[in-house]
Amino acid sequence: MTTIRPRRAAILPALLLAPLLFPAAAPAAVGDPRERLADPAQEARARAIGRELRCLVCQNQSIEDSNADLARDLRLIVRERIAQGATDAEVVRYLHERYGDFVLLRPPVTAATALLWAAPALALAGGATAILLALRRRRVAPDAVVEEAAAPLTEAERARLAAIEAAAAERDRRPS
Amino acid sequence: MIPELGHFALALACVLALAQGAVPLLGAQRRDPRLIALGPPLAAGQLVAVAAAFAALLWSFAVNDTTVLGVVQNSHSAKPLLYKLTGTWGNHEGSMVLWVLILALCGGAVAGFGRDLPGALQARVLAVLGLVGVGFLLFILATSNPFARVWPPPADGQGLNPVLQDPGLALHPPLLYLGYVGYAVTFAFAVAALIEGRVDAAWGRWVRPWALAAWAFLTLGIALGSWWAYYELGWGGYWFWDPVENASLLPWLAGTALLHSAIVVEKREALKVWTVLLALLAFALSLLGTFLVRSGVLNSVHAFASDPTRGVFILALLALYVGGAFALFAWRAPAMAPTGVFAPLSREGALVLNNLFLCSICAVVLVGTLYPMFADLVLGVKISVGPPFFNAATLPLAAPLILAMPLGALLPWKRARLWPVLQRLWWAALAAAAALLLALALAGERVWPALGFAAAVWLVAGAAADLADRIALFRRPAAAWARARGLPRAAWGGALAHAGLGVTCAGIAGMGLATDALVALKPGESARLAGYEWRLEGVRDAAGPNWTARRATVTVARDGAAVAVLEPERRFFPVGRETTTEAAIHTNGLRDLYVVLGEERDGAAVLRLHHNPLAPWIWLGAAVMALGGGLSLSDRRVRVAAPAPKGAPAPA
């Protein structure tokens, strides 16, 4: 009844089959109450930490969301450490040392991720610069219009102007 | 026989699309009215051919034709007819046929309803749509033939992934594709404008309904997917910053920016070059999304490398269309003189700010989605970029956008002063501040949800202030009703869409206060969560058309009074040997009670209980946003000026 296919095998067809679909379609881990810590405050800390850690064999899932064996092991490690009195930072450091950057869903700021973390500032600064440049160009643009207006009249324009002047002179001559 | 006919229809469609891509374009360049006039019939012909192919594929699934490989891999005779039919697009090949069908529908709509467009413009738009169609039809024919046969036929199919067997998913891909492919039309208009070297207010009027329709459908499609993830995947979450989700969010962000800048083109003939660029970007991101999901590159770069045919083909299409369009842009855009002078503090200025922030968010999501791949391939480092990054990186960009939204909507065109606008919004600001303090007092020092509620009230009250100002509700209350009736629907639509975002913000803030509990209960035992008493009555067997299940009955009571009976299930699908969890949800509009059934052991059943305040508002808000888009679309000015919009809403 409860035979669940291995996690990765379940995810792969879901990804391949799903059209442009929503997350790696795999049913959730329901969890096991026995894993949880008795102290609600400690358990809340463990879950907050767990949501920052990646289930290494899954597609973009935190260890709290996955029912892969590895995720369960990591959940237990997190809770074990917390029960032993480790701080949040110590627990994360412990797992980071063992599994590397890949385990952190919030990538650490390193030379390799500097560009990633700078992306919001770069995008905003780049966009703002482009807007300022465009505004400056626009401020120059009206001058160009003025120059164009000051250009000598073409032959056709001169003829039209003469016709208008002639018509005006005609109107003036007529008694009102 | 029917599958062969379908295959032939696809090939025919490909040829017709090629003709549609070449003949009208040539006609427009040579100003030959006979060639130009061939555009609409060719588009109609392509639509008929693709529709025939799609019908043939539907038929193969409906009768469970096990000589067709796609049916064998994705269907089963025991499946209900509805899921047999929706299974047509529940797989790679079929979903690509649906993609092409919707593209052909858009082409048919431009041909049929766009008779008032200038002939050359219509011809060029149809030609670009034809060229896009050729690429994807070739892709299907060369790498993803949905009509491939197997012989001898197996006794029955292997079934559809049970997680995908769901009514929400029947509609999700078509809606999403209407959005994605709708941006193909704005893309085609942009390319046509670049070829002609002219963008004016009329162009803005023709493009806007398409941008609106695509945006409304994409909004609905994303919301439906998010809702599906919420009730079907059983995590109780609604957005996971999964690359597949991001792939649909990217064109939505660019499309939202496009929607706003197209207004400036239409009203003021400013931001023309930028709007053309956004139209190119929105479709480029739609294609990128298709590539990311279809190539399997997200799954792992190595899986992609082991079978790269499809991925490389889509990548080539992406490079061709996007590269070609951007090359054209670089060549022609400088010739379009900027017009429409405006002061930085004006409606136009506010819309520029809107575009700046939306595009920045878009860039961050794009970088975050692609960065793990980039780091792996280029830097040789394996990193993960997950929800904590996306939340931290997009929130500082979204906050000023939300702050500025009501202000921008109230600013007059060309030149504005801030003080009169602030005077009209003071009560909205006051309401937002009150919401902040109230939330802090009630929910206790939870800063982020409180800020979310403040944002929600600010947006909804800001939209109300906008409408109140337009109908002069406070200045001349007697005439307000008459003015409200005279107000263009686009104004109602805009205000409604902004308010819809506010509703979604409230839902997200409410989910920030969600609580849950994991318990193991024996029948008769109960647990407490969020003031409710959750009691397990029993667990029994149940059966469906192609599954068996264990079904729990949980009664939820508050202060002794029964509130709801919830029946979560664990379903087992013998074909495919998979287990799914079916969450049971009870909603009263203000909160969801949500139960998932886990394993049973020693007579006790594991239950995960969730109390999700305001959860339905997330999708309700999205529906309101889409409704606002639809209302704008029905504006008389839009309909009269541009007869095209009816096309997109075709068969959803």
Side-chain angles (χ1 to χ4, degrees), chain A residues 131 135 138, chain B residues 257 260-272 274-275 339-356 407-416:
Chain A
I131 290 170
L135 278 180
R138 188 156 303 168
Chain B
H260 289 87
S261 73
I263 301 175
V264 183
V265 176
E266 186 190 338
K267 304 274 194 218
R268 302 274 308 130
E269 289 216 12
L271 302 187
K272 295 192 291 193
W274 171 240
T275 304
T339 50
V341 183
F342 55 85
L345 187 63
S346 61
R347 177 80 70 88
E348 294 96 318
L351 288 168
V352 169
L353 199 69
N354 148 311
N355 277 215
L356 172 65
L407 294 168
L410 274 164
L411 286 172
W413 296 101
K414 281 182 94 167
R415 186 182 295 276

Side-chain angles (χ1 to χ4, degrees), chain A residues 126-150:
Chain A
T129 313
I131 290 170
L132 288 179
L133 285 178
L135 278 180
R136 179 169 296 175
R137 207 175 55 200
R138 188 156 303 168
R139 223 166 279 145
V140 175
D143 298 343
V145 175
V146 172
E147 258 168 48
E148 203 174 279

Side-chain angles (χ1 to χ4, degrees), chain B residues 571-587:
Chain B
R571 284 188 189 166
F572 178 66
F573 291 75
V575 182
R577 305 190 52 75
E578 289 191 64
T579 304
T580 68
T581 55
E582 292 286 312
I585 305 171
H586 177 269
T587 185

Side-chain angles (χ1 to χ4, degrees), chain A residues 12 17 19 21 47 61 102 105 112, chain B residues 90 235 244 299 371 384 386 516:
Chain A
L12 195 65
L17 294 177
L21 283 184
R47 294 177 65 192
Q61 279 181 314
F102 194 57
L105 284 171
Chain B
W235 286 315
V244 185
N299 213 11
Y371 208 84
S384 302
D516 61 289

Side-chain angles (χ1 to χ4, degrees), chain B residues 36 109-126 185 189 202-203 205-207 210 641-644:
Chain B
I36 288 179
V110 172
F113 299 108
R115 292 199 194 97
D116 294 352
L117 291 174
L121 181 64
Q122 190 196 30
R124 289 187 172 116
V125 170
L126 284 177
V185 182
F189 269 99
W203 182 88
R205 263 201 298 283
W206 287 312
V207 165
W210 286 101

Side-chain angles (χ1 to χ4, degrees), chain B residues 83-334:
Chain B
Y83 297 124
K84 280 185 189 160
L85 293 178
T86 60
T88 309
W89 56 79
N91 58 82
H92 167 80
E93 290 83 0
S95 76
M96 289 319 295
V97 178
L98 180 69
W99 205 101
V100 173
L101 174 69
I102 291 174
L103 183 67
L105 273 174
C106 288
V110 172
F113 299 108
R115 292 199 194 97
D116 294 352
L117 291 174
L121 181 64
Q122 190 196 30
R124 289 187 172 116
V125 170
L126 284 177
V128 176
L129 288 174
L131 289 175
V132 173
V134 172
F136 279 86
L137 283 162
L138 276 178
F139 172 69
I140 295 174
L141 289 169
T143 72
S144 323
N145 177 14
F147 298 107
R149 295 278 206 174
V150 275
W151 199 262
D156 209 336
Q158 295 157 3
L160 173 81
N161 186 326
V163 184
L164 308 181
Q165 192 167 316
D166 179 271
L169 272 201
L171 267 179
H172 169 58
L175 283 174
L176 211 54
Y177 282 12
L178 277 167
Y180 272 26
V181 179
Y183 288 124
V185 182
T186 53
F187 172 83
F189 269 99
V191 172
L194 285 172
I195 296 174
E196 289 186 355
R198 201 184 56 183
V199 175
D200 51 21
W203 182 88
R205 263 201 298 283
W206 287 312
V207 165
R208 218 175 118 216
W210 286 101
L212 263 172
W215 178 85
F217 281 121
L218 197 54
T219 307
L220 281 180
I222 294 174
L224 200 63
S226 155
W227 187 43
W228 169 77
Y230 172 76
Y231 70 70
E232 177 68 29
L233 294 187
W235 286 315
Y238 55 93
W239 190 262
F240 304 92
W241 291 109
D242 190 275
V244 185
E245 290 174 318
N246 294 349
S248 66
L249 187 64
L250 290 170
W252 188 85
L253 289 166
T256 311
L258 170 67
L259 194 63
H260 289 87
S261 73
I263 301 175
V264 183
V265 176
E266 186 190 338
K267 304 274 194 218
R268 302 274 308 130
E269 289 216 12
L271 302 187
K272 295 192 291 193
V273 175
W274 171 240
T275 304
V276 166
L277 184 64
L278 270 181
L280 300 184
L281 270 178
F283 187 57
L285 291 169
S286 297
L287 284 181
L288 183 74
T290 310
F291 166 70
L292 288 178
V293 179
R294 287 277 134 252
S295 65
V297 72
L298 289 175
N299 213 11
S300 105
V301 254
H302 309 292
F304 171 66
S306 64
D307 180 19
T309 354
R310 286 176 179 172
V312 168
F313 204 116
I314 301 190
L315 199 59
L317 287 180
L318 188 69
L320 194 69
Y321 293 135
V322 178
F326 280 104
L328 189 66
F329 179 82
W331 176 37
R332 303 291 298 218

